[in-house]
Amino acid sequence: YQRRVHGLERTEGERPTAAHSWQTDKVTSRFFLWDLSRHADHHFVATRPFYKLRSHKESPVHPFGYASSFFPALIPPLWFWITERALNDWRRRCAADGLNERMTVPAGS
């Protein structure tokens, strides 16, 4: 069983990591959405307060801020084209940096 959400996959029972959620460091998204843009860190360490959420090099990066994604998401073929390109870029970056898309949680996190 694999769960696929917005192009990201996780097997049943697999603990969520920073690689299982999109993130963006766009200032507007961070300010207006109270660091929702660092959503990946929330999945990585669910107990971390929102004001301490961090970016992760291993996380897929949203092609836009969350607010800017609203209109492309209304056109599913466009949205899937955009996110697939972003996922492919992320996979290439992970491979080039020697990172595993299915990261494990480091000790102490």
Side-chain angles (χ1 to χ4, degrees):
Y1 167 78
Q2 283 195 333
R3 182 173 182 228
R4 183 177 167 109
V5 179
H6 303 291
L8 304 174
E9 295 179 356
R10 181 165 56 99
T11 59
E12 185 173 3
E14 183 179 6
R15 183 174 178 189
T17 69
H20 292 120
S21 185
W22 292 90
Q23 73 176 8
T24 182
D25 283 328
K26 302 290 185 190
V27 174
T28 305
S29 292
R30 292 194 62 217
F31 179 76
F32 286 109
L33 300 173
W34 290 349
D35 279 334
L36 171 67
S37 58
R38 293 192 171 166
H39 192 209
D41 193 43
H42 165 71
H43 282 280
F44 197 46
V45 183
T47 58
R48 187 170 289 146
F50 78 91
Y51 55 88
K52 291 184 178 180
L53 294 175
R54 302 178 294 192
S55 285
H56 289 272
K57 182 178 182 180
E58 303 84 3
S59 295
V61 177
H62 214 284
F64 314 110
Y66 281 89
S68 301
S69 298
F70 178 77
F71 291 110
L74 292 175
I75 306 168
L78 174 61
W79 179 249
F80 292 131
W81 180 79
I82 290 168
T83 56
E84 283 300 316
R85 286 187 61 185
L87 281 172
N88 289 335
D89 290 344
W90 172 66
R91 288 180 183 116
R92 279 192 293 278
R93 193 180 77 233
C94 285
D97 292 347
L99 301 171
N100 183 346
E101 294 173 18
R102 298 194 179 283
M103 298 175 352
T104 56
V105 179
S109 291

